Amino acid sequence: MIPDCYILGIIAFITIIFTTFNPFISAQSQSIPFRVGTEPTFPPFEMPSEDGSGLQGFDIDLMKAIGNEVGLDVQFESMPFDGIIPALQTGSLDAAISGMTITAERGRTVAFSSPYFKAGLAIAVQENNDTIKNFDDLKGLKIAVQIGTTGAMEADKIPNAQVISFDSVVLALQELVNGKVDAVVNDAPVTLFAIKEAGLQGVKVVGELVTEEFYGIALPFNSEKVMLLNYGLFQILRNGSYNQIYQKWFAGEPFVLPLIAPSLIGTTSTDFATNPLNNSNRQSVLSLLIQRLPQGAVVTLILTACSIFFGFIGASFIAFGLISHNPFVKNILRIYVEFFRGTPMLVQLFIIYFGLPAFFQGIGLNWSLERFPAAVIALSLNVAAYLAEIIRGGIESIDKGQWEACEALGMNRLQTLKEVIMPQAFRRVLPPLGNEFITLIKDTSLVAVIGFAELFRQGQLIVASTFQAFQVYIAVALVYLCLTTLSSFAFKWLEQKMNPVAQAKRKSASQNLNLT
Ligand code: GLN
């Protein structure tokens, strides 16, 4: 156990060293931007400023103050939290400040400044829940977390718990408000801020600071800026700026900070970061890929097949409506098609999954959709709009004379469609239908945002625990490629099978064979 070695003596020591080397600091060029990554949906640490023009929050003020102190031209770059470490690894960021907990695993991949904030996890539950008090009570329950966070890692350790990961903590909390999960495990200051300051209703915190964590500024593993940032941090701790920033965002006095995060004490620096694909790590990435990607691929295929099935049925009705003689039906359906083709699928998904339940709860109805039906509904509604136009085109491409001939034979419109027009039209729409299917396989990756563990999300989860973005996403891309290639073969085969000329050829060939 390390003592809470507060650092005034060490600060004094470092200050002396750096004052001696002051020219080094003033030589830091103000004009070269120092790119600092952050995930800006983590209030009060980072969030969009009120006028939306930039960022604000404790981390933002702190980083600016440190930058001022050491002469760095800090420029913030917003990105998803699980993308920060890969971005530091590739050098596309110079540093990152994002309420990031200093952990031993991360410490093997990136460098950390000295801790700048003491936090810990909290469990949030619905206000009327009296059964959950601590981690033990979460066994076997549904828990929402933010992907790649310490909350997610802690939730993963709970026996039999179903952990659903979201891109931001805001979405995880929304899931709790909508009653779709039993709890959210997340950093205490952020959940408390959401409830107390941002007016999140129907949610309470049980078990505040159930872990002890320290936030640090992350840098590329061999960055020589670590000392500089530490110096800046110590300076603002010493000259009172840190306290001022703390008081601006939190009540009370700041916690005592150790010089080194306890999680890093005792961990040895390995060659892991300089050679990230050392043998044992390569093996664990590989076994994770083998274990998880097939699961994800199956989910992706099921989602696509269900959505194309319902989408096709819906699209057929819409197409019949579009060619009907009723202007009212025609106009309504045209609006439908324009709406679903003219708005992003992601927005449609958010409306169906997060928006509708919130709306119904607002009017006193306790209604919500499970993840799978929500995803299938959103994808089917969208694909139906595209397919409707394709089917309509297919129907209209059949010669008008056939309608007249059927009418002369006494068939009604519906019979004509069913018996004569559709079988021919279906053959004509098969190639574009195949294209839609392939597009849909790729579009299913969008439903990862509602916590659906399909192929892409499985990849993200592997990256969150191994930090091997390149290898993992290449593997994910290859699996998508396999799925799309197989689908295109399947559609080619179907086209061939339904081609009357080829069918006739096959028939006569088999007859010839029988004769001989
Ligand atoms: N402190 C948590 C972590 O490092 C969450 C950080 C965040 O979501 N911005 O994992």
Side-chain angles (χ1 to χ4, degrees), residues 39 42 46 81 98-103 106 119 121 146-151 153 169 186-187 213 215:
E39 191 273 306
F42 205 59
E46 35 271 323
F81 186 73
S98 201
M100 187 181 282
T101 303
I102 305 172
T103 66
R106 290 174 181 162
L121 296 176
Q146 182 184 356
I147 189 166
T149 60
T150 44
M153 294 169 208
V169 64
N186 180 54
D187 298 42
E213 300 186 0
Y215 294 168

Side-chain angles (χ1 to χ4, degrees), residues 201-276:
Q201 287 185 352
V203 169
K204 67 180 176 191
V205 163
V206 290
E208 223 172 282
L209 295 186
V210 283
T211 56
E212 184 186 70
E213 300 186 0
F214 290 94
Y215 294 168
I217 302 170
L219 299 103
F221 196 73
N222 290 323
S223 170
E224 73 287 315
K225 293 283 192 314
V226 180
M227 284 285 271
L228 190 68
L229 293 190
N230 277 345
Y231 170 76
L233 176 61
F234 299 142
Q235 285 291 41
I236 62 165
L237 274 165
R238 209 176 55 128
N239 67 20
S241 315
Y242 180 95
N243 263 33
Q244 271 171 15
I245 297 172
Y246 189 95
Q247 307 287 336
K248 179 176 162 192
W249 295 102
F250 305 98
E253 286 300 308
F255 281 104
V256 166
L257 296 168
L259 182 61
I260 302 175
S263 54
L264 292 188
I265 308 264
T267 57
T268 50
S269 131
T270 62
D271 64 347
F272 186 93
T274 41
N275 177 18

Side-chain angles (χ1 to χ4, degrees), residues 332-396:
I332 293 283
L333 292 174
R334 182 83 9 242
I335 293 172
Y336 170 90
V337 171
E338 294 310 329
F339 177 81
F340 279 94
R341 286 197 316 186
T343 54
M345 170 116 75
L346 202 55
V347 177
Q348 296 161 15
L349 196 61
F350 270 54
I351 292 176
I352 291 172
Y353 191 67
F354 294 111
L356 282 184
F359 169 76
F360 280 112
Q361 268 172 27
I363 56 169
L365 290 172
N366 208 357
W367 178 86
S368 70
L369 264 177
E370 281 305 315
R371 223 172 308 284
F372 183 74
V376 171
I377 290 174
L379 292 170
S380 308
L381 287 174
N382 188 281
V383 87
Y386 285 92
L387 282 183
E389 285 294 9
I390 293 172
I391 296 174
R392 183 186 59 83
I395 294 173
E396 284 180 346

